[in-house]
């Protein structure tokens, strides 16, 4: 049986993607703890609200798009998701890819860490 806390974590993760897709930088950054870390291929680890705001506010190569979460796996203080993303890069190219994200939570329900992985032919 799923606990209320775990259900809250899953709801937070879904809300996060809604905010990203809507371009609500302040809203999505507020979901992270002030000292949270975000690791994403192609970028140095981002730590804290200021670095994440800079990333989502313009450093991110994606101009717009939509995440579709296809699978969610939850633990006590963690949520993992698998899904697809379709969107447009700042240079006008379309992108359509699969991704996985791993979220760790603080005791007060903020994201303490997020790690993203893309299914792309790099090696």
């Amino acid at each position: 049986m799923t606990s209320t806390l775990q259900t809250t974590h899953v709801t937070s993760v879904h809300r996060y993607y809604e905010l990203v897709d809507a371009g609500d930088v302040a809203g999505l950054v507020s979901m992270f703890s002030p000292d949270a870390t975000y690791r994403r291929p192609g970028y140095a680890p981002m730590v804290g609200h200021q670095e994440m705001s800079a990333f989502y506010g313009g450093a991110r190569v994606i101009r717009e798009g939509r995440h579709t979460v296809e699978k969610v796996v939850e633990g006590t203080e963690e949520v993992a998701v698998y899904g697809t993303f379709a969107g447009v890069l700042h240079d006008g190219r379309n992108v359509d890819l699969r991704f996985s994200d791993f979220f760790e939570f603080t005791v007060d329900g903020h994201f303490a860490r997020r790690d993203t992985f893309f299914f792309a032919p790099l090696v």
Side-chain angles (χ1 to χ4, degrees), residues 56-73:
Y56 286 108
R60 184 175 177 232
V61 298
I62 297 167
R63 182 172 66 210
E64 63 186 11
R66 176 160 170 72
H67 293 84
T68 301
V69 174
E70 297 174 5
K71 185 167 191 151
V72 177
V73 178

Side-chain angles (χ1 to χ4, degrees), residues 2 5-15 17 68-75 78-84 99-103 105 111:
T2 303
L5 184 59
Q6 289 171 320
T7 301
T8 299
H9 290 338
V10 170
T11 300
S12 292
V13 168
H14 283 288
R15 179 69 180 144
Y17 292 114
T68 301
V69 174
E70 297 174 5
K71 185 167 191 151
V72 177
V73 178
E74 55 186 315
E78 302 169 312
V79 172
V81 302
Y82 169 85
T84 58
F99 70 92
S100 292
D101 273 327
F102 297 83
F103 295 85
F105 290 83
F111 302 140

